[in-house]
Amino acid sequence: MLTDGSFLVHHFLSFYLRAGCKVCFVALLQSFSHYNIVAQKLGVSLTAAKERGQLIFLEGLKSCLDLLFGEKEQSGQPSPLQFLSEGASDLKALFDFVRMSLTPAGSDSWKGPVLLVDDLSVLLSLGAAPVAVLDFIHYCRVVVCSQLKGNIVVLVHSNEDSEDEENELVVNSLCHHSDLILWVEGLATGFCKDVHGQIKIIRRVSLELTAEKDLVQVYQYKIQDKNVTFFARGLSAAVL
Amino acid sequence: MSEICCFKGHDLKFYWTINWVVILLGIFLLALTLLLFIFPKNKENQRCVVKIQVGDLSNKKEKIPTVLVFTEEDKYGLYSNLLFKYFLAEGVVCGHELFVASAKEHPDNILKELPAPLLDDTYRNELGEEATAVKSEDFQDSMKIAWRYQNLPKMEASPTSTKFGHYYDVSKTMPPELFQSINWHSFYLPEELSLQPKMKTCNMNSAYTRLLQSIQRIIYQEGFDGSDPQKKQKNILRIGIQSLGSMLWGDDICSSDTPEDIHSLTKFLYVLRALLRKSLSACIITVPAHLIQNKAIMERVTNLSDMVVGLESFIGSERETNPLYKDYHGLVHVHQIPRLNSLICDVSDTKDLAFRLKRKLFTIERLHLPPDLSDTVSRTSKQDLAESAKLLSSGCGAMAIGKKHLDF
């Protein structure tokens, strides 16, 4: 079963919106309506969040079309996906978009900013160099995490025996720099109807210079229509 | 290297004080399932017939576009071509609009070879005869050994109505009258090369650029993206692109280990995905994946598609003569299923699928291995059979001890 961690993206989106954070969501793979429909099942309305300025949604698919087929030049800011048309190798326009969205305006009363990206591997498919992608994340970290005291959540795809070296490079680098890794994978024993996969939660305590090892917790999960249930390994409801 | 800064994140009410959170996606496991496709027909043989049907428009306000990618892993392109034509034939029967793009065969010729649909009653009669014949035989059979399974529900009986998709007869071609009522558009690359692309090229292969422009023009002109509010009757555009990525499209990913531009195909797919999401359309693409040397490209293509299915035919491989697979012509590998508008996806129980092409029908079935009646403990593949045969003949009464056998 192709295991996909996209359910975590939906979770984080609704989690941060409910917590009252200002969220900048760079959605590269799916359309707005997809996220909206799922978020409604989880109890959050993305349209309402957008209207009150809490959610800034970059729909990658739509911007791409505007950039390539749009007849008029958009006045003011360049498209965040500028790197597509110019063949420019950096993602500066995308970073500028993120920075402007999350820099608090005077009237904002939201709690800490959050950058959510789904999914970073797509940037590589679109021609961005791995170094450019890592630079983009680094710049975002500087602004969002240290300057604005916010959080960043990034989704990447990876295969066990992947031959996509660029992707593996990005994934490894992100792993090294992150404070928390949620690693979603399929069961080693194959497909199971009641257990959709396994999630490894790795808390990078080792980054805190206290000579402790990373904390690793493993749970299995089952995705339902409006919810995901987690349980300890081997204790799925079907077994008990 | 980078310094390790500890910066505590913003304190939230909740239990995490995380500064920098990364989610990693997991492992790609080959699994076999089909969404939209499985439709069990005959319970005795546990056969499933492929129905290619785009979702129901009536209830949904949102558009349901999908990008289907069939990896043309069967080397000679026979079966993937067949599925390609099934997709288009279904469009004709449902009254959808078609857009056929190809670099090697003129779309007019492709459309002339679509399989003929089977009318409800003739097919049902055929099915009905088969089913009743089998039923009468084992009606009185009750299970003796596995009697606990007697009361388990059997698989669904043959369909009484063909509301979901249609059946096709591959031995006949579709009558031209059926084409009269539908609109169709074609894109034959050799004819389009003379026109200049108007859109920004974004460093993409020019053939792909032209194709995207053509698709975008059709979507806009015919109002599939809802841009024409006067068009009340909503229809679906079925796009079929044949052998994308092959050399005929000007791409060298199939012919070289280090292609010049590895991003053209993935950029094309991304823009196509954007076009499909914006409009009422569905697309099938066949790709000669076995020719693409750089596997990273196929991984990226898989991530960018909603559904990926690979066909592995037995022609020319050792499996053709393997007695285990004698009923089938190839295997179906499902690499990805769509997960749109919901957290979960519709996963079926079937993971091992195989296909076979009979005189009239192309069917996809659950891979059903015959009972293992051999002397050895484990099921043997052809090589082991040959080995054990050699051993048996060499000594009288010698046990067939192959490398994989464990006899206690």
Side-chain angles (χ1 to χ4, degrees):
Chain A
M1 182 66 232
L2 180 63
T3 325
D4 188 5
S6 55
F7 67 93
L8 288 170
V9 172
H10 296 295
H11 159 72
F12 277 109
L13 184 58
S14 46
F15 170 75
Y16 283 116
L17 283 175
R18 264 191 292 233
C21 296
K22 187 162 185 185
V23 179
C24 174
F25 188 9
V26 177
L28 295 171
L29 206 52
Q30 301 280 15
S31 63
F32 177 75
S33 58
H34 165 78
Y35 295 106
N36 200 14
I37 291 177
V38 182
Q40 273 170 359
K41 289 187 189 169
L42 298 176
V44 172
S45 164
L46 295 188
T47 338
K50 244 170 71 165
E51 275 164 20
R52 58 177 185 257
Q54 190 187 9
L55 171 67
I56 294 108
F57 195 96
L58 171 63
E59 191 172 345
L61 294 169
K62 189 158 152 305
S63 318
C64 171
L65 286 183
D66 289 338
L67 176 68
L68 296 176
F69 294 109
E71 282 160 12
K72 287 181 277 185
E73 268 300 318
Q74 298 286 325
S75 59
Q77 308 114 9
S79 165
L81 295 181
Q82 196 69 25
F83 73 98
L84 265 181
S85 70
E86 281 173 3
S89 56
D90 59 57
L91 297 168
K92 188 167 185 306
L94 189 57
F95 164 68
D96 286 333
F97 173 83
V98 170
R99 184 169 48 87
M100 276 191 307
S101 326
L102 289 180
T103 308
S107 54
D108 271 349
S109 59
W110 308 113
K111 300 198 181 99
V114 176
L115 169 64
L116 193 55
V117 182
D118 175 24
D119 95 43
L120 209 59
S121 315
V122 171
L123 290 173
L124 293 172
S125 305
L126 291 176
V131 175
V133 174
L134 292 173
D135 282 343
F136 163 72
I137 289 292
H138 178 75
Y139 273 80
C140 287
R141 261 182 87 194
V142 168
V143 169
V144 178
C145 297
S146 47
Q147 282 178 10
L148 299 174
K149 306 280 179 262
N151 297 337
I152 300 184
V153 180
V154 171
L155 182 73
V156 282
H157 276 87
S158 173
N159 292 349
E160 200 177 50
D161 48 356
S162 170
E163 289 189 25
D164 191 348
E165 287 171 4
E166 292 184 346
N167 193 39
E168 292 304 300
L169 176 71
V170 171
V171 169
N172 281 332
S173 179
L174 285 176
C175 275
H176 281 303
H177 289 110
S178 53
D179 292 309
L180 180 71
I181 304 173
L182 296 171
W183 185 293
V184 173
E185 57 193 358
L187 297 176
T189 43
F191 171 72
C192 171
K193 214 167 52 160
D194 297 302
V195 179
H196 289 148
Q198 182 165 282
I199 180 169
K200 235 193 280 191
I201 304 178
I202 306 171
R203 289 175 208 276
R204 305 289 311 286
V205 181
S206 56
L207 286 177
E208 287 173 20
L209 299 175
T210 48
E212 282 173 28
K213 276 206 310 198
D214 291 342
L215 277 174
V216 180
Q217 289 167 306
V218 183
Y219 296 104
Q220 289 175 344
Y221 65 87
K222 178 177 178 175
I223 308 177
Q224 287 144 353
D225 190 39
K226 292 191 182 181
N227 192 14
V228 179
T229 45
F230 292 89
F231 38 86
R233 278 181 288 189
L235 295 178
S236 102
V239 168
L240 294 173
Chain B
M1 259 292 276
S2 53
E3 69 275 38
I4 302 175
C5 310
C6 316
F7 22 80
K8 284 287 184 186
H10 177 80
D11 261 345
L12 297 174
K13 285 190 275 190
F14 301 88
Y15 46 88
W16 280 338
T17 53
I18 306 150
N19 185 33
W20 164 241
V21 178
V22 173
I23 304 174
L24 287 176
L25 265 192
I27 313 259
F28 179 96
L29 288 177
L30 266 185
L32 308 177
T33 178
L34 271 180
L35 178 70
L36 292 179
F37 283 61
I38 306 279
F39 200 56
K41 186 168 68 91
N42 185 325
K43 56 192 171 194
E44 312 307 330
N45 295 338
Q46 292 185 12
R47 238 186 270 155
C48 321
V49 178
V50 176
K51 303 273 190 74
I52 301 177
Q53 175 78 347
V54 181
D56 175 29
L57 270 183
S58 52
N59 299 335
K60 307 214 164 121
K61 288 183 201 157
E62 300 300 333
K63 298 151 187 177
I64 325 141
T66 49
V67 180
L68 296 171
V69 177
F70 271 63
T71 53
E72 196 179 310
E73 275 166 27
D74 76 298
K75 280 190 253 178
Y76 306 101
L78 292 169
Y79 303 107
S80 51
N81 226 3
L82 196 55
L83 279 170
F84 186 76
K85 288 177 183 159
Y86 260 84
F87 181 81
L88 296 173
E90 182 70 16
V92 174
V93 173
C94 293
H96 299 154
E97 257 184 65
L98 298 182
F99 181 103
V100 185
S102 172
K104 67 177 171 184
E105 214 181 323
H106 200 286
D108 292 349
N109 294 336
I110 298 177
L111 288 174
K112 280 185 197 145
E113 291 170 7
L114 296 184
L118 284 169
L119 297 168
D120 271 357
D121 33 10
T122 48
Y123 189 67
R124 225 181 306 150
N125 283 341
E126 282 180 33
L127 265 189
E129 282 166 16
E130 255 187 63
T132 47
V134 180
K135 247 195 212 165
S136 54
E137 277 172 26
D138 63 8
F139 182 74
Q140 296 300 333
D141 261 0
S142 59
M143 300 185 182
K144 294 196 170 59
I145 296 176
W147 52 275
R148 277 286 185 201
Y149 295 106
Q150 184 86 32
N151 296 325
L152 281 179
K154 293 202 176 134
M155 287 189 54
E156 279 171 22
S158 48
T160 47
S161 75
T162 48
K163 251 192 251 170
F164 181 72
H166 302 86
Y167 292 95
Y168 294 91
D169 181 349
V170 294
S171 58
K172 300 188 200 139
T173 53
M174 190 176 275
E177 307 85 68
L178 285 175
F179 284 102
Q180 305 300 335
S181 52
I182 62 149
N183 270 344
W184 57 276
H185 314 273
S186 68
F187 180 96
Y188 182 48
L189 186 64
E191 283 173 6
E192 304 276 337
L193 284 173
S194 49
L195 306 167
Q196 278 302 316
K198 281 181 224 137
M199 62 179 259
K200 297 180 192 143
T201 52
C202 69
N203 292 338
M204 209 185 339
N205 179 337
S206 68
Y208 295 158
T209 314
R210 288 185 169 89
L211 177 55
L212 279 174
Q213 197 176 296
S214 186
I215 294 176
Q216 193 264 348
R217 183 173 46 91
I218 299 292
I219 289 179
Y220 179 68
Q221 277 174 0
E222 305 288 323
F224 287 105
D225 55 355
S227 57
D228 187 359
Q230 287 174 354
K231 218 174 157 72
K232 282 179 204 158
Q233 209 186 25
K234 285 191 181 173
N235 201 354
I236 295 182
L237 178 66
R238 284 197 182 219
I239 304 175
I241 306 178
Q242 207 182 35
S243 273
L244 197 66
S246 71
M247 274 170 45
L248 293 167
W249 286 98
D251 204 344
D252 62 349
I253 52 176
C254 286
S255 54
S256 126
D257 278 340
T258 48
E260 255 179 55
D261 183 7
I262 59 169
H263 296 121
S264 264
L265 181 62
T266 42
K267 277 188 204 165
F268 169 83
L269 276 182
Y270 188 76
V271 182
L272 179 64
R273 188 186 172 95
L275 283 172
L276 293 179
R277 285 286 191 270
K278 200 177 85 141
S279 60
L280 284 169
S281 38
C283 177
I284 182 174
I285 306 178
T286 60
V287 172
H290 59 283
L291 293 174
I292 298 180
Q293 307 296 328
N294 186 342
K295 294 300 165 201
I297 297 179
M298 272 321 291
E299 287 173 24
R300 292 178 182 180
V301 162
T302 304
N303 277 336
L304 286 171
S305 317
D306 291 316
M307 178 152 190
V308 182
V309 173
L311 294 177
E312 181 192 338
S313 85
F314 295 151
I315 301 176
S317 83
E318 56 186 11
R319 288 181 177 171
E320 201 173 0
T321 43
N322 190 329
L324 294 174
Y325 296 120
K326 65 174 165 43
D327 289 334
Y328 306 107
H329 291 121
L331 297 177
V332 175
H333 303 286
V334 180
H335 299 305
Q336 174 120 301
I337 53 176
R339 211 176 296 248
L340 285 174
N341 296 336
S342 113
L343 277 175
I344 52 171
C345 49
D346 196 8
V347 181
S348 100
D349 287 337
T350 348
K351 292 283 159 287
D352 299 298
L353 295 165
F355 63 83
R356 69 167 116 166
L357 176 61
K358 294 186 286 198
R359 192 177 61 87
K360 282 191 173 184
L361 279 184
F362 177 80
T363 55
I364 292 186
E365 310 174 356
R366 207 175 284 210
L367 180 60
H368 176 67
L369 296 175
D372 183 19
L373 299 169
S374 64
D375 292 331
T376 56
V377 171
S378 52
R379 195 182 289 270
T380 52
S381 63
K382 188 185 171 202
Q383 289 124 334
D384 289 350
L385 274 174
E387 258 187 43
S388 48
K390 260 191 280 182
L391 284 170
L392 275 174
S393 59
S394 62
C396 343
M399 288 280 281
I401 303 171
K403 292 179 197 151
K404 292 181 189 171
H405 304 157
L406 290 172
D407 273 332
F408 299 108

